[in-house]
Amino acid sequence: MRRWAWMLVMCWPCLVGGASRDFNGTTDLINIGSAANLDNHTALTYTAWVYVEGGGENNLGEIYTKSPAGGTTKQFRIENRGGAEQTNSLDMAIVTSGTSRQARAATDSLSFNAWHFVVTNWPGSSAPKLFIDGAEPPYATQTNGTGTDTSEANDSGIIGNRGNADRTFDGQMAYVSIHNASLSVVEQEELRYHALSIPNGIVAALPLWGNASPEVDLSGTGNAGTLTGTAESANGPPVMIGGYHSP
């Protein structure tokens, strides 16, 4: 009964307009606050559908960060700086007292101007992983780092940017979920085609459709998003709500 009740709630986007939120690459963000259930996860999974139109502000378009005003403590982002870094890549990092925990995909792992389901998964005991459309990409960097994680108890959770608003995502985004658990590959694949459907460790489930303000959180944990900019977009990812979609 609980499972089907969840599915019924998830059918709501079938009834409203707008399939994603558009981030302008310069100023937009959605701030979901810093409730205790968002803080200092010892294992985590972040997921999102993204349609990347450019590398983002400063070629570091953030998907989700835990972020004070002047930096980040956890970040999941597009990496497009080139040079000694990567281009057309996906990056995740957790700041520690020593060497940061990090996973960065190899150059050209992520194509632009197409929908992709992106995931970062950190089990706590080993290095974080990345997944793009269900597959783990080759890595330019992957390490579990050293030291203890920097506390983020006072840092806001921000979709599409970081605290000082200088890494705006460029493109459309939909179905962002934040979990305080390391999801299995099977659970990740269910989320890929059955948006926001996995309750394991869920602390935020933001569909990013329609033009509602604040952005609704369907997880039941109260982490609705305060909007700065973002526009409703009819461009949406290939998912089914309330049922499975065959790839």
Side-chain angles (χ1 to χ4, degrees):
M1 289 295 295
R2 292 181 63 192
R3 177 71 166 180
W4 283 105
W6 178 267
M7 308 308 274
L8 183 60
V9 170
M10 301 318 300
C11 281
W12 185 30
C14 302
L15 306 178
V16 301
S20 65
R21 293 273 191 185
D22 184 76
F23 292 78
N24 65 5
T26 56
T27 57
D28 290 349
L29 61 86
I30 300 175
N31 189 326
I32 64 173
S34 187
N37 57 25
L38 294 172
D39 296 340
N40 297 322
H41 297 160
T42 55
L44 60 83
T45 306
Y46 303 157
T47 82
W49 276 95
V50 297
Y51 188 100
V52 184
E53 295 181 329
E57 193 172 6
N58 294 308
N59 281 313
L60 290 169
E62 301 284 4
I63 298 169
Y64 177 74
T65 64
K66 284 303 298 295
S67 181
T72 54
T73 44
K74 287 186 171 73
Q75 62 188 19
F76 183 33
R77 68 187 185 187
I78 306 302
E79 170 62 72
N80 202 49
R81 287 177 292 178
E85 311 297 339
Q86 275 59 56
T87 56
N88 296 61
S89 178
L90 193 65
D91 180 76
M92 186 274 190
I94 299 171
V95 176
T96 72
S97 60
T99 303
S100 294
R101 314 183 197 286
Q102 187 174 23
R104 180 181 294 168
T107 288
D108 293 331
S109 294
L110 185 72
S111 63
F112 289 6
N113 299 304
W115 280 106
H116 297 289
F117 182 65
V118 295
V119 177
T120 186
N121 185 317
W122 178 55
S125 58
S126 57
K129 295 181 178 181
L130 301 169
F131 296 85
I132 301 172
D133 299 329
E136 197 169 355
Y139 293 101
T141 300
Q142 187 184 33
T143 177
N144 204 34
T146 61
T148 58
D149 294 1
T150 300
S151 176
E152 31 157 304
N154 297 316
D155 300 349
S156 294
I158 298 176
I159 296 170
N161 217 320
R162 67 173 185 170
N164 49 340
D166 62 349
R167 294 182 179 176
T168 312
F169 183 84
D170 182 11
Q172 291 84 55
M173 199 183 309
Y175 303 113
V176 173
S177 69
I178 310 299
H179 304 254
N180 64 4
S182 174
L183 300 187
S184 69
V185 172
V186 171
E187 288 174 314
Q188 291 175 187
E189 279 298 277
E190 184 170 352
L191 281 170
R192 180 182 175 191
Y193 291 113
H194 194 185
L196 307 181
S197 62
I198 298 296
N200 182 12
I202 189 73
V203 293
L206 291 93
L208 305 192
W209 32 244
N211 53 15
S213 180
E215 174 66 35
V216 65
D217 171 24
L218 297 179
S219 73
T221 61
N223 292 313
T226 300
L227 306 184
T228 298
T230 76
E232 179 181 3
S233 174
N235 182 26
V239 296
M240 291 284 286
I241 306 302
Y244 289 95
H245 172 81
S246 299

